[in-house]
């Protein structure tokens, strides 16, 4: 499965949930497929996608979906432990696991070897976890995660597709637009 079609599938089910996107192709694809005020793009902030989503989940009522990347999460694995400790019921982490640092030249990441991020999450006390490698499996678990109390940790094994044009880089506008979508 490619991240583009997987993201399109998730967007079919998303209503007013906050979406936080990892930097690079994850953010570019989300922007092209369905830019909306409640998308928060983490330009440049490698490793912080799920940390930012955790903070949002702890301070809002609705579901918050982190669309993270394997390489970024590997750089800040402590955030998985903090999610396991804080247990926000409204947080869903989806890891787009292409087993590489795609954006910087397709270097193989640790998940191409022995690191199993789902097992890391379980070891951190996150009970609702899954690893999926096709669209059917992803759709089923994502729909369940939107309905059921979390935190959820879903590893989605993906293949890299052709890159889309880079989205406009506007961190200040993203913050302003995102905040305003909650305050009106
Ligand atoms: C602190 C820091 N180190 C390195 C980079 C450069 N960098 C940007 S994206 C990226 C790879 C991210 O890998 P992953 O999260 O797996 O996403 P993918 O590119 O595979 O979609 C790297 C190394 C950065 N932005 N910040
Ligand atoms: Mg990656």
């Amino acid at each position: 499965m490619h991240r583009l079609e997987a993201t399109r599938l998730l967007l079919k089910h998303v209503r007013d949930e906050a979406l936080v996107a990892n930097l690079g192709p994850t953010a570019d694809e989300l922007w092209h497929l369905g830019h909306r005020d409640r998308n928060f793009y983490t330009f440049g902030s490698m490793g912080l996608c799920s940390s930012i989503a955790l903070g949002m989940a702890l301070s809002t009522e609705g579901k918050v979906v982190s669309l993270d990347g394997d390489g970024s999460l590997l750089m800040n694995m402590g955030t998985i432990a903090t999610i396991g400790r804080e247990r926000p019921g409204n947080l869903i982490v989806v890891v787009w696991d292409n087993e590489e640092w795609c954006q910087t030249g397709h270097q193989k990441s640790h998940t191409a070897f022995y690191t199993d991020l789902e097992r890391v999450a379980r070891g951190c006390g996150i009970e609702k976890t899954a690893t999926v490698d096709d669209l059917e499996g992803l759709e089923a678990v994502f729909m369940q995660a939107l309905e059921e109390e979390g935190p959820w940790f879903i590893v989605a094994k993906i293949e890299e597709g052709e890159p889309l044009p880079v989205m406009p880089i506007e961190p200040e506008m993203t913050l302003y637009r995102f905040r305003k979508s909650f305050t009106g």
Side-chain angles (χ1 to χ4, degrees), residues 3 22-23 25-26 44 46 68-73 75 96 98 100-104 160:
R3 185 180 40 234
N22 190 35
L23 76 171
T26 296
M46 187 178 171
D68 213 332
D70 56 309
S72 299
L73 200 51
M75 203 179 74
W96 297 135
N98 53 9
E100 63 180 30
W101 289 280
C102 161
Q103 206 197 351
T104 46
E160 212 39 56

Side-chain angles (χ1 to χ4, degrees), residues 1-5 25-26 29 98 100 102-103 106 158-165:
M1 114 177 110
H2 288 98
R3 185 180 40 234
L4 186 68
E5 55 184 357
T26 296
E29 290 174 10
N98 53 9
E100 63 180 30
C102 161
Q103 206 197 351
H106 302 281
I158 55 155
E159 287 166 52
E160 212 39 56
E162 284 302 307
L164 294 180

Side-chain angles (χ1 to χ4, degrees), residues 13-19 36 38 62-64 178 181-182:
H13 297 285
V14 165
R15 297 289 171 262
D16 57 358
E17 294 83 2
L19 289 180
R36 60 203 260 286
R38 273 200 194 166
K63 289 267 184 181
V64 177
F178 183 83
S181 80
F182 286 93

